[in-house]
């Protein structure tokens, strides 16, 4: 039986990979990225919802952003002497940690890579480098420049146009905290000054500051590449985004056939020029009638399960490709559109007051694909609903008494 390790911080992303690879009967291990208990310093090992899936055989825990601990865990507890195990990183940290340790991992594991060269994936996490290549293949990108914060100090060039949008140059350092629209120089100064106080990882960081573009429609596409051939079976349109700490993540979206061949060709050229082998996720958007490239994530994207549910299993393509097996559905395309619902994102928005109960239920009712609720794997949904009921009471108390 093929062995698979899924590494990540959010349970819906991990669960989507688990259920995808389970379609070919894999032995699945979860590595849950978690934090330390402030009281005793030990790891918080609360069982996450995806660990209740019938397809998960083992759950391990690792401290978030602790690369050494993650690699030690892989080498000491996950090596099978009889076969190589597949690794699916589900966030930028785990993707980077594996890529930066490729030389010690590649004899034991299959994982996303660029010509099996250690550090090559991380080099392409640089958004400025991605944008330069995107321009070369004919995609639109907003004007931008890089500002470096070092020990709280920085210089703001006079050439910046406002409003602007700031984001970490390399997302593995924690993109969500670093994202900010700044309407003027004062707001940008405030953002740059506050970043080092929000997280110690921002003591030294480079930010990409772009011309702000009004987003009329937002999209994503997922695909698979073996390093030479690229498969892009469909496109996702984001219908509703999450708020708060999940800013930028889809609550609801629509997956549909990829009919714009010129656009798909440009994205395919982008991946081919990089030479990436694995499952990838590309974000882009429409502004004033033009399509703009946003970024590439060299891992399975958060909305990727929508592809699996519409009949195109990208993680399985990666497994078969690395094993040299024939990929029967290599040319398979999404032929029918479907709306999906990320219950976890909606749940957090609901609990934090960004969404009403009525709106939550409406989103679920109007979606054909759920990321947690699954008739073939029911336990995660039961645990999710248990948590929902608990937090419904807490939310009601909070609304009534302000606590």
């Amino acid at each position: 039986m093929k062995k698979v390790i899924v590494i990540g911080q959010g349970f819906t992303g991990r669960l989507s990979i688990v259920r995808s690879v389970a379609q070919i009967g894999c032995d699945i291990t979860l590595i849950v990225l978690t934090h330390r208990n402030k009281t005793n310093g030990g790891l918080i090992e609360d069982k996450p919802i995806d660990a209740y899936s019938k397809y998960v055989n083992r759950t391990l825990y690792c401290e978030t952003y602790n690369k050494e601990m993650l690699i030690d865990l892989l080498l000491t507890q996950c090596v099978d002497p009889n076969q190589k195990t597949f690794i699916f990183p589900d966030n930028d940290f785990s993707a980077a940690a594996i890529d930066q340790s490729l030389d010690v991992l590649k004899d034991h594991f299959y994982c996303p890579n660029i010509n099996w060269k250690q550090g090559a994936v991380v080099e392409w996490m640089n958004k400025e480098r991605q944008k330069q290549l995107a321009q070369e293949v004919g995609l639109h990108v907003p004007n931008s420049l890089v500002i470096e914060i070092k020990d709280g100090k920085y210089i703001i060039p006079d050439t910046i146009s406002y409003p602007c949008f700031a984001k970490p140059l390399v997302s593995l350092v924690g993109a969500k905290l670093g994202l900010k629209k700044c309407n003027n120089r004062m707001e940008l100064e405030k953002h740059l000054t506050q970043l080092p106080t929000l997280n110690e990882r921002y003591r030294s960081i480079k930010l990409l500051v772009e011309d702000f573009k009004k987003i009329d429609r937002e999209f994503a596409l997922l695909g698979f590449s073996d390093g030479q051939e690229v498969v892009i079976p469909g496109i996702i349109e984001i219908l509703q985004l999450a708020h708060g700490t999940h800013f930028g993540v889809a609550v609801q979206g629509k997956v549909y056939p990829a009919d714009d061949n010129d656009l798909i060709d440009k994205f395919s050229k982008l991946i081919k020029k990089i030479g990436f082998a694995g499952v990838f996720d590309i974000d882009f958007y429409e502004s004033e009638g033009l399509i703009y490239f946003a970024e590439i994530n060299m891992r399975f994207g958060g909305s990727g399960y929508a592809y699996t549910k519409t009949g195109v299993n990208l993680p399985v393509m990666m497994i078969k490709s690395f094993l040299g097996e024939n990929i029967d559905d290599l040319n398979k395309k999404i032929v029918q559109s479907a709306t999906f619902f990320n219950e976890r994102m909606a749940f957090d928005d609901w609990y934090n007051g960004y969404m009403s109960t009525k709106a939550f239920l409406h989103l679920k009712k109007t979606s054909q694909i759920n990321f947690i609720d699954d008739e073939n794997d029911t336990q995660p949904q039961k645990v999710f609903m248990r948590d929902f009921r608990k937090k419904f009471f807490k939310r009601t108390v909070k609304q009534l008494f302000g606590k």
Side-chain angles (χ1 to χ4, degrees):
M1 179 179 286
K2 301 174 182 68
K3 291 193 172 184
V4 171
I5 298 168
V6 181
I7 309 170
Q9 198 164 6
F11 71 82
T12 48
R14 295 189 308 254
L15 184 59
S16 69
I17 300 171
V18 165
R19 286 173 170 169
S20 295
V21 300
Q23 291 189 4
I24 57 170
C26 296
D27 180 336
I28 302 170
T29 295
L30 283 183
I31 296 183
V32 178
L33 300 176
T34 184
H35 297 283
R36 292 194 177 275
N37 190 306
K38 293 181 180 180
T39 303
N40 58 26
L43 283 180
I44 298 173
E45 297 187 1
D46 296 336
K47 189 175 180 179
I49 284 176
D50 54 324
Y52 288 89
S53 169
K54 69 179 184 180
Y55 304 119
V56 173
N57 295 319
R58 183 172 58 151
T59 302
L60 304 173
Y61 297 86
C62 177
E63 183 181 13
T64 301
Y65 304 119
N66 190 333
K67 183 178 77 171
E68 291 73 21
M69 184 177 183
L70 176 60
I71 302 307
D72 181 69
L73 194 65
L74 288 169
L75 292 174
T76 59
Q77 298 196 45
C78 300
V79 170
D80 185 332
N82 299 312
Q83 63 174 304
K84 292 174 75 171
T85 300
F86 293 87
I87 298 177
F88 284 89
D90 182 49
N91 68 347
D92 291 323
F93 159 72
S94 55
I98 289 163
D99 179 63
Q100 291 169 330
S101 308
L102 205 56
D103 288 346
V104 298
L105 295 176
K106 61 186 178 183
D107 289 339
H108 308 289
F109 301 97
Y110 292 111
C111 48
N113 69 88
I114 297 175
N115 299 318
W116 291 104
K117 178 185 175 184
Q118 181 167 295
V121 169
V122 170
E123 289 178 6
W124 277 107
M125 285 183 174
N126 184 306
K127 292 183 177 63
E128 187 177 39
R129 191 178 183 192
Q130 290 183 8
K131 287 178 61 176
Q132 289 171 351
L133 186 57
Q135 282 184 298
E136 290 179 19
V137 301
L139 293 164
H140 295 284
V141 298
N143 294 324
S144 63
L145 51 79
V146 176
I147 294 179
E148 182 176 11
I149 304 173
K150 196 166 185 178
D151 295 325
K153 297 178 181 179
Y154 55 83
I155 296 174
I156 298 178
D158 294 331
T159 54
I160 293 179
S161 299
Y162 299 94
C164 65
F165 192 77
K167 56 185 177 182
L169 186 64
V170 179
S171 57
L172 64 95
V173 297
K176 300 307 179 189
L177 284 175
L179 296 173
K180 179 71 174 179
K181 177 191 175 185
C182 302
N183 293 303
N184 50 54
R185 184 185 178 96
M186 186 180 299
E187 290 187 7
L188 181 57
E189 286 180 348
K190 183 179 179 181
H191 180 57
L192 297 176
T193 302
Q194 285 182 339
L195 272 177
T197 66
L198 293 174
N199 193 303
E200 63 181 12
R201 287 178 288 117
Y202 286 109
R203 299 305 304 177
S204 180
I205 182 176
K206 291 181 179 179
L207 289 178
L208 187 68
V209 181
E210 300 178 331
D211 289 351
F212 178 78
K213 298 290 182 182
K214 179 181 177 295
I215 297 177
D216 300 316
R217 299 170 72 192
E218 192 162 356
F219 302 91
L221 59 80
L222 281 83
F224 162 75
S225 173
D226 63 3
Q228 296 178 326
E229 297 300 319
V230 177
V231 179
I232 299 176
I235 291 177
I236 287 173
E237 180 174 1
I238 310 302
L239 303 180
Q240 184 168 323
L241 288 169
H243 299 78
T245 57
H246 299 310
F247 173 74
V249 181
V251 172
Q252 187 183 50
K254 181 180 180 181
V255 59
Y256 57 86
D259 295 328
D260 189 335
N261 293 327
D262 179 61
L263 184 64
I264 297 303
D265 285 345
K266 289 175 181 176
F267 285 127
S268 295
K269 287 179 183 177
L270 190 68
I271 297 299
K272 284 181 181 180
K273 282 182 175 290
I274 294 173
F276 177 71
V279 179
F280 59 86
D281 171 24
I282 299 177
D283 296 331
F284 61 103
Y285 59 91
E286 181 180 344
S287 178
E288 298 181 344
L290 296 177
I291 295 295
Y292 284 86
F293 167 81
E295 67 175 329
I296 308 168
N297 296 300
M298 282 168 275
R299 52 179 172 77
F300 197 56
S303 299
Y305 192 53
Y307 282 70
T308 303
K309 292 293 284 185
T310 49
V312 182
N313 196 324
L314 296 172
V316 166
M317 282 189 192
M318 182 180 124
I319 289 175
K320 289 184 176 181
S321 172
F322 283 3
L323 290 175
E325 296 180 4
N326 181 44
I327 305 174
D328 299 328
D329 54 357
L330 188 61
N331 296 314
K332 198 168 187 179
K333 303 290 184 182
I334 290 171
V335 296
Q336 187 172 358
S337 62
T339 302
F340 63 84
F341 178 46
N342 189 327
E343 300 103 308
R344 188 264 174 104
M345 297 299 121
F347 175 69
D348 287 355
D349 268 9
W350 166 81
Y351 181 70
N352 291 307
Y354 296 112
M355 182 187 299
S356 67
T357 303
K358 182 178 180 181
F360 181 99
L361 295 174
H362 176 74
L363 287 174
K364 183 173 176 61
K365 183 179 179 180
T366 56
S367 300
Q368 292 82 51
I369 298 170
N370 296 305
F371 283 4
I372 301 176
D373 193 2
D374 190 308
E375 62 181 10
N376 296 315
D377 185 27
T378 58
Q379 197 60 30
Q381 172 67 5
K382 291 178 181 178
V383 179
F384 175 74
M385 290 307 300
R386 181 191 68 193
D387 292 347
F388 190 102
R389 287 188 289 270
K390 287 180 180 178
K391 287 199 172 182
F392 185 87
F393 174 75
K394 290 182 179 180
R395 184 178 185 267
T396 302
V397 172
K398 184 177 179 181
Q399 287 177 326
L400 290 174
F401 303 104
K403 295 182 180 180

